[in-house]
Amino acid sequence: MGTYQSFENGILTRTRQSLPKLPQHRTSLPCRGLLASQMTCKQCSYKFPVKYETFDSLSLTIPSQLWGGNSLDACLQQFVMPEYLQNVDCENCAKLATMTADATKNTFTRTLTIGKMPALLCLHLQRTVWLNSGTPLKRHDLVEFPELLHMDRYSLRRQTSSRRAGLQRSKLLLGGSAGESLASQASRSIPITSNIPLQPPPTPKRTRQVSLEENVYKLHAVIVHLGDVFSGHFITYRRAPNGRQWFFTSDSCVRRASLEEVLAASPYMIFYERLRAHSLEGNRPPCSSGKAA
């Protein structure tokens, strides 16, 4: 006699009880994020809908520098740098065109941002390049990277809000109801004399709050490749679970490492872990202290 019996209403155990139902949910990968790309017509400023594409890691190109070193921020800025696309059909220009259909082909700019930030940000630095002869070559450039990485400037949400804020500032500079309200407030608060010009009151500076920093990442691990493009060896720097100690690993060799040693390494892959709002407070020095502990 079997352990389970099958009935029309489900499967029963030996004690004629229903099996517990397991929760069904989609597995969310920690490195999975969304890239957002949008095309804009340079002629009429028409924008195509935003297209999203999943990614598990970002492959960054190291900028060519005649002198000096590179930084991870420079690699990220080059990754999101707008590119120009020629001879693209514009739907809006086609509606406004009165001549042939060839007049609707214009130049578009394609911008790339991050639509959804992953919990674990995996960055890969492309160190292999090819010469004109077709020979591969490894770049040994030093790329500086921080312990705390701020990714707000590369997010789609932040760039969209920045454009809206720019439009609001333009309206204030051009006048309108907002400009008139500022002038009326100034006339009530500042005495008018022949020597004091009438000006709107200065806008108070906003203090950046921790809750606004949504995309702050802390360095979690670094992979370094030793050797050339044909052969080599990988070593790893990894942060301990307590968050304060670092370890150097090379096959069976494991030893303690300092943060200074980690930041001085030549990275091949960098892993950042996203911080929450309450974790950001712990990474800030106290206001009363002049130096960080």
Side-chain angles (χ1 to χ4, degrees):
M1 183 176 180
T3 304
Y4 304 103
Q5 295 182 358
S6 177
F7 293 90
E8 294 181 358
N9 57 351
I11 300 177
L12 300 180
T13 63
R14 181 180 298 177
T15 58
R16 306 185 67 85
Q17 295 179 356
S18 300
L19 290 175
K21 294 184 179 181
L22 298 177
Q24 297 181 358
H25 56 83
R26 300 179 62 181
T27 303
S28 178
L29 300 178
C31 296
R32 181 64 54 85
L34 290 177
L35 283 176
S37 62
Q38 189 174 36
M39 296 174 54
T40 305
C41 179
K42 295 191 63 178
Q43 181 68 24
C44 66
S45 300
Y46 172 77
K47 294 183 179 181
F48 281 102
V50 179
K51 294 184 178 180
Y52 295 93
E53 182 180 357
T54 60
F55 72 91
D56 295 321
S57 64
L58 298 181
S59 187
L60 307 178
T61 304
I62 303 176
S64 299
Q65 298 285 352
L66 297 179
W67 58 81
N70 279 294
S71 64
L72 182 60
D73 185 67
C75 298
L76 289 170
Q77 289 183 11
Q78 182 170 271
F79 180 79
V80 299
M81 184 178 299
E83 61 176 340
Y84 294 95
L85 304 177
Q86 305 289 339
N87 298 324
V88 179
D89 293 330
C90 180
E91 300 176 0
N92 189 57
C93 290
K95 297 178 181 179
L96 302 177
T98 56
M99 296 183 295
T100 61
D102 295 337
T104 62
K105 293 184 178 294
N106 296 323
T107 302
F108 275 69
T109 58
R110 178 177 177 267
T111 57
L112 187 65
T113 54
I114 301 180
K116 179 183 178 182
M117 295 286 179
L120 184 63
L121 182 62
C122 176
L123 303 176
H124 164 243
L125 298 178
Q126 300 180 11
R127 293 191 173 273
T128 303
V129 295
W130 281 264
L131 304 178
N132 294 332
S133 59
T135 305
L137 181 68
K138 177 186 175 182
R139 295 186 58 176
H140 296 271
D141 306 53
L142 178 62
V143 178
E144 298 180 353
F145 55 98
E147 183 183 9
L148 289 181
L149 180 62
H150 298 260
M151 293 292 293
D152 280 340
R153 70 179 69 179
Y154 308 109
S155 65
L156 174 64
R157 179 180 178 183
R158 178 55 59 91
Q159 292 196 5
T160 303
S161 60
S162 299
R163 286 194 295 266
R164 292 177 180 175
L167 293 176
Q168 293 179 358
R169 288 194 297 266
S170 300
K171 292 180 180 179
L172 290 177
L173 293 176
L174 294 176
S177 58
E180 294 174 359
S181 61
L182 290 177
S184 60
Q185 295 177 6
S187 62
R188 291 193 300 266
S189 58
I190 302 178
I192 301 177
T193 63
S194 58
N195 298 327
I196 302 180
L198 178 60
Q199 295 180 354
T203 303
K205 295 183 179 180
R206 288 187 175 181
T207 304
R208 185 177 179 85
Q209 301 294 333
V210 177
S211 60
L212 297 179
E213 300 184 22
E214 301 177 355
N215 302 309
V216 181
Y217 288 80
K218 190 173 184 179
L219 185 62
H220 187 73
V222 179
I223 298 178
V224 180
H225 178 263
L226 304 176
D228 54 20
V229 71
F230 300 103
S231 62
H233 178 68
F234 288 99
I235 62 174
T236 303
Y237 293 96
R238 187 185 185 280
R239 188 185 295 271
N242 59 16
R244 297 183 298 272
Q245 184 64 51
W246 281 89
F247 289 100
F248 166 90
T249 60
S250 176
D251 293 339
S252 60
C253 176
V254 180
R255 62 172 175 83
R256 295 178 182 270
S258 63
L259 178 61
E260 290 74 15
E261 179 183 352
V262 176
L263 297 179
S266 180
Y268 175 72
M269 297 188 70
I270 313 175
F271 297 86
Y272 284 92
E273 187 176 7
R274 188 174 184 177
L275 295 179
R276 297 181 180 179
H278 64 83
S279 300
L280 293 175
E281 288 288 357
N283 289 278
R284 290 178 174 270
C287 298
S288 59
S289 175
K291 295 182 180 180

